[in-house]
Amino acid sequence: MKDLLDRRGRRLHVAARLAAACLTVAALSGCAAAPGDLDPQTGRELQARVLAVSTAAANADPAVGLRTLDELVDHLTRAAADGDVSFKRHQSIMKAIGAVRADLRAAMAAKTAASKAAAEKAAAAAEKAAAAAEKVAAEATETAAAPNIAVRPAPATLAPLPLPSPAPDNGNGGKGPGDSPGNGSGKGKGKTEG
């Protein structure tokens, strides 16, 4: 906000100086000028050039204002050399031009400083954004490089089955109950269901 107010203040200051220069040129070309101080046609041309400088300053374009001011000085110098402007008038106009030039240079320096500050701010923001993008890319690379291991529940552990217990020893040497060693001498006594 303060910067905005400073810029407006500088514009007003430059505009005030330019208005003073316009008034000076207007006075130079008016009826009050002594004969031979300023040619009326030259006065109108100078006024047009001062208006161009004023417009450039109002548009916050001090570079254009300085170029236009240089053109005004060239025109004024030629007019003085041709005798269209008296030495006294030339000196008073040059004094006003000097004040306007100083203001335009100050405005240009301020504009350059503001542009530089804005560029530095933009560069810092770009660096911050690049660092953030780099971090995201690194995280994405790490995620892509990690093996895709699906998390599965651990298998349930099974209790070992009990081993069959040995048959009790009945004193036959492992033969079943009875006298025969199991040669099939027994006859079935049951009925077959049918």
Side-chain angles (χ1 to χ4, degrees):
M1 183 71 170
K2 183 181 178 199
D3 186 43
L4 178 64
L5 293 175
D6 287 343
R7 283 187 282 173
R8 285 184 183 168
R10 281 190 295 253
R11 281 187 194 161
L12 290 175
H13 184 68
V14 170
R17 291 278 183 123
L18 288 172
C22 287
L23 291 175
T24 302
V25 172
L28 295 174
S29 64
C31 298
D37 272 355
L38 180 64
D39 177 63
Q41 177 62 32
T42 302
R44 284 189 292 277
E45 291 169 359
L46 291 174
Q47 280 181 322
R49 292 181 189 274
V50 168
L51 181 61
V53 173
S54 177
T55 302
N59 291 334
D61 196 350
V64 171
L66 285 168
R67 280 195 306 271
T68 307
L69 198 61
D70 289 339
E71 292 170 3
L72 173 64
V73 169
D74 289 342
H75 186 76
L76 180 63
T77 303
R78 281 194 310 272
D82 291 343
D84 293 334
V85 178
S86 71
F87 178 76
K88 183 179 177 183
R89 294 290 183 192
H90 179 268
Q91 292 302 312
S92 65
I93 294 171
M94 287 302 294
K95 185 176 180 180
I97 287 173
V100 171
R101 184 181 306 281
D103 287 342
L104 287 172
R105 283 184 177 156
M108 189 162 182
K111 187 174 183 178
T112 301
S115 295
K116 183 179 178 183
E120 288 172 355
K121 186 176 180 180
E127 283 181 29
K128 188 175 180 180
E134 200 172 292
K135 182 179 178 184
V136 168
E139 289 173 357
T141 302
E142 286 177 17
T143 303
N148 290 334
I149 299 175
V151 178
R152 296 182 190 147
T157 55
L158 299 174
L161 294 174
L163 294 175
S165 56
D169 190 20
N170 58 6
N172 305 5
K175 297 180 185 177
D179 297 338
S180 70
N183 56 8
S185 61
K187 304 225 181 205
K189 296 182 183 178
K191 292 182 182 178
T192 308
E193 290 181 29

